[in-house]
Amino acid sequence: MSTAASLSRPSLAEHSTPIKEGGTVPSVTFRTRARIESDDENPFDWKDVTSEDLFRGKRTVVFSLPGAFTPTCSSTHLPGYEAIYEELKAGGIDEVYCLSVNDAFVMRQWGLAQGLEEDKTVGANGFAKVKLIPDGAAMFTRGMGMSATWERERGFGERSWRYSAVIDDMKVEKLFVEGGGVSQDYGPDPFEVSDAKTMLDYVKSSAK
């Protein structure tokens, strides 16, 4: 393989070796946008949110996908979790997060395009139900061992492999990884185990 063809590939093997169940999620800082008191057309300011803010002391569901506005992510993956949000909460889940290697501006516009209800409370960090988490620099994705590229297939640089997980107080309780592991520049887009129904079935069966 030529150097040019591999420039966007993950630099370390562990970045594409999925975390194991029982493992601790990476401690990173997400650069997000929080609503402020303003009449401006863009009433937001930067807010750093850490992994600990999202996961410590909580039992949460995370599903991660290759990109905002992409077909399966928009038609099925995000809408599926939005539809079962209340059922997941009733099953003992404190919060539901959708993560993608996109910046905060893209993630908000995607949520609006998807018709998600925006939380307009001052200080709010996104949407009322499923929260969209921008992993713009792929730091969390690398730490989870889910870094993938589709440079020839789709012109994507580094993105997240599709997966879902239950994270209980910073620990991976359950992990569903599409295709059984991360593949680079992979033609198919498997979507069989990280879907909303599979997650809901697991949460119901493991309710605490």
Side-chain angles (χ1 to χ4, degrees):
M1 181 179 293
S2 70
T3 301
S6 61
L7 286 175
S8 69
R9 294 296 171 85
S11 58
L12 299 175
E14 55 262 38
H15 292 169
S16 298
T17 304
I19 193 170
K20 303 292 187 184
E21 290 178 358
T24 301
V25 300
S27 179
V28 304
T29 299
F30 301 94
R31 292 288 282 160
T32 73
R33 302 282 287 172
R35 188 170 289 272
I36 60 174
E37 191 78 61
S38 173
D39 294 326
D40 189 80
E41 290 183 5
N42 185 27
F44 299 92
D45 203 352
W46 291 107
K47 180 181 180 180
D48 286 348
V49 175
T50 66
S51 299
E52 288 75 12
D53 294 328
L54 298 177
F55 304 118
R56 180 167 286 166
K58 305 172 188 176
R59 186 171 183 241
T60 63
V61 164
V62 176
F63 63 101
S64 191
L65 37 81
F69 292 102
T70 56
T72 301
C73 307
S74 299
S75 66
T76 311
H77 212 171
L78 175 55
Y81 278 90
E82 181 76 3
I84 65 164
Y85 179 83
E86 298 299 345
E87 289 181 84
L88 289 172
K89 297 273 282 187
I93 296 300
D94 294 302
E95 197 52 86
V96 181
Y97 303 120
C98 172
L99 185 140
S100 182
V101 181
N102 291 109
D103 62 63
F105 300 98
V106 169
M107 292 297 273
R108 176 173 179 257
Q109 290 302 318
W110 183 42
L112 294 175
Q114 286 285 294
L116 303 190
E117 178 188 352
E118 196 168 25
D119 184 350
K120 296 186 177 181
T121 308
V122 171
N125 213 196
F127 295 91
K129 292 184 179 181
V130 174
K131 309 302 186 292
L132 307 187
I133 307 300
D135 187 28
M139 300 297 286
F140 189 84
T141 294
R142 293 174 189 169
M144 291 291 283
M146 299 293 182
S147 176
T149 64
W150 287 269
E151 54 201 35
R152 286 170 297 181
E153 276 293 324
R154 297 167 198 146
F156 289 179
E158 187 175 15
R159 300 291 182 99
S160 174
W161 190 252
R162 197 183 298 278
Y163 70 92
S164 65
V166 175
I167 299 174
D168 190 356
D169 193 21
M170 299 289 289
K171 300 283 187 180
V172 178
E173 172 189 326
K174 185 65 177 177
L175 183 63
F176 298 99
V177 182
E178 294 295 347
V182 178
S183 296
Q184 302 299 328
D185 219 4
Y186 192 55
D189 182 12
F191 183 53
E192 299 175 352
V193 298
S194 65
D195 60 289
K197 183 182 183 304
T198 299
M199 178 57 74
L200 183 59
D201 288 346
Y202 171 76
V203 168
K204 286 182 174 179
S205 71
S206 62
K208 297 182 178 182

